[in-house]
Amino acid sequence: MSQTTTNTATAQLQLNAGTIHHSLSDVVKTEDWSDFEFTPIRESTVSRAMTRRYFQDMDKFAVSDVVIIGAGSSGLSAAYVIAKNRPDLKIAIIESNVAPGGGAWLGGQLFSAMIMRKPAHLFLNDLGIQYEDEGDYVVVKHAALFTSTVLSKVLEFPNVKLFNATAVEDLVTRPAGPNGEVSAAGVVTNWTLVAMAHDLQSCMDPNVIELSGYKDDGTRDESKKHGVILSTTGHDGPFGAFTAKRIVTIDSKKNLGGMKGLDMNRAEAAVVKESGAYDGVNSVYFAGMESATLHGLNRMGPTFGAMAVSGIKAAEEILKHFAE
């Protein structure tokens, strides 16, 4: 390497070092940041700021038009479509984990890339997520890119509230006809840590989120559209397939199908087609792998197109319900 080249490279490095700029460049005036300070605050101010807003949200969403159980890829995809099309609907998302996103932070076997078969790439286009086009399928460089993007877009909608670290323990139900018909009227909630510790205490009663469409005395208000529950809690697990397992005890005509073995080609289309309204209990919808557990479908393994598209299909049905 010539001396001229070396001098040029050194000069470029010095130039680059001298042009570092970030959001705090105009605040910090010393090289060692010795002049940096935060604005002063009381600890109680922080507590009140959090508490006030959370309980305002609990009050606002105590009656919701749409309750989505599970903030994985299906639930978040559905929430995005519903909120984007109907900013007037109140949408509460209940997630048992502290971190939303379900299993969509990684691909298969803890690998990074997320595979989606076409035409699921059209949803990625809608979200503005880049991918590698491999012909029949696309690859997002890291599953977390998909999950963080759809999550951030959902949370930006003013009509959406995510209650994470919150478990759904049961369904609120109402009679819906003369022959034993049942309609879901809300969800029974509790802090997840409380739900996990019921065997350790004598009584830890829950809370509820009620669906819209009822009068103050609890009777049906026929002048208002009935709210809905969309359950996307995944395949069977500690909190997985919750609504599927509960609903077969409410609907005596239905048995839990149980998820079948892995078959990508059969599974993905089947999950999408079986997602949507549940016939046995009014106002309940399913999407994602919970549909596979409910209806006895194959699992698809580490390909995520059906997760997003089943949420979109269920969202479309819900939007049609509110448009009728």
Side-chain angles (χ1 to χ4, degrees):
M1 182 180 292
S2 67
Q3 185 63 42
T4 301
T5 302
T6 302
N7 291 341
T8 301
T10 301
Q12 185 63 47
L13 287 171
Q14 292 172 343
L15 177 62
N16 292 342
T19 57
I20 294 174
H21 190 79
H22 50 73
S23 56
L24 296 176
S25 295
D26 295 333
V27 175
V28 181
K29 304 299 183 183
T30 58
E31 187 172 338
D32 64 355
W33 286 55
S34 59
D35 61 333
F36 178 77
E37 291 182 348
F38 283 105
T39 54
I41 198 167
R42 292 181 63 182
E43 284 79 3
S44 59
T45 301
V46 175
S47 177
R48 285 170 173 156
M50 293 188 300
T51 304
R52 181 170 60 251
R53 286 165 175 80
Y54 195 86
F55 282 100
Q56 285 173 347
D57 286 336
M58 290 186 72
D59 181 74
K60 177 180 177 180
F61 289 89
V63 177
S64 293
D65 299 301
V66 181
V67 175
I68 299 176
I69 311 174
S73 49
S74 295
L76 291 174
S77 298
Y80 174 80
V81 173
I82 297 169
K84 185 177 180 180
N85 282 274
R86 289 293 300 268
D88 58 312
L89 298 178
K90 288 192 293 184
I91 304 167
I93 307 174
I94 315 298
E95 170 55 49
S96 60
N97 284 309
V98 171
W105 290 108
L106 291 166
Q109 198 170 315
L110 307 183
F111 297 152
S112 301
M114 172 180 275
I115 314 301
M116 284 195 178
R117 295 161 62 197
K118 292 182 176 180
H121 70 295
L122 298 175
F123 186 51
L124 300 178
N125 294 343
D126 187 11
L127 295 171
I129 297 174
Q130 294 185 352
Y131 53 79
E132 298 175 55
D133 193 326
E134 296 288 354
D136 291 334
Y137 65 94
V138 300
V139 182
V140 179
K141 69 176 184 178
H142 202 299
L145 177 60
F146 167 81
T147 302
S148 60
T149 300
V150 67
L151 176 61
S152 65
K153 289 184 178 293
V154 166
L155 293 179
E156 286 177 352
F157 289 114
N159 57 324
V160 173
K161 172 61 183 179
L162 169 64
F163 294 98
N164 48 329
T166 303
V168 172
E169 294 188 330
D170 205 348
L171 302 178
V172 180
T173 60
R174 297 279 188 273
N179 300 312
E181 296 91 343
V182 175
S183 178
V187 293
V188 180
T189 64
N190 219 326
W191 309 126
T192 299
L193 292 178
V194 173
M196 295 172 66
H198 279 309
D199 292 339
L200 305 179
Q201 300 290 332
S202 59
C203 181
M204 294 181 286
D205 281 332
N207 200 355
V208 298
I209 294 178
E210 188 180 35
L211 295 180
S212 56
Y214 291 89
K215 299 176 182 179
D216 289 341
D217 64 0
T219 59
R220 180 75 175 93
D221 186 349
E222 297 295 342
S223 68
K224 297 181 180 178
K225 184 63 70 172
H226 197 288
V228 303
I229 295 169
L230 171 59
S231 194
T232 63
T233 64
H235 51 67
D236 197 3
F239 292 99
F242 165 77
T243 308
K245 291 183 287 188
R246 184 66 177 99
I247 212 162
V248 297
T249 68
I250 298 172
D251 179 13
S252 59
K253 299 177 182 179
K254 181 68 175 179
N255 293 318
L256 193 67
M259 188 171 61
K260 301 298 187 291
L262 193 152
D263 186 334
M264 287 185 182
N265 286 304
R266 291 174 60 86
E268 287 212 280
V271 165
V272 171
K273 292 173 182 177
E274 291 291 346
S275 292
Y278 179 74
D279 291 335
V281 176
N282 296 338
S283 304
V284 177
Y285 295 70
F286 288 92
M289 292 310 299
E290 191 167 9
S291 294
T293 299
L294 178 64
H295 297 295
L297 309 177
N298 293 95
R299 61 186 296 188
M300 75 280 300
T303 175
F304 287 81
M307 296 299 92
V309 177
S310 66
I312 294 170
K313 195 240 184 181
E316 181 182 273
E317 290 191 19
I318 290 168
L319 289 167
K320 288 178 180 178
H321 162 76
F322 282 103
E324 292 172 351

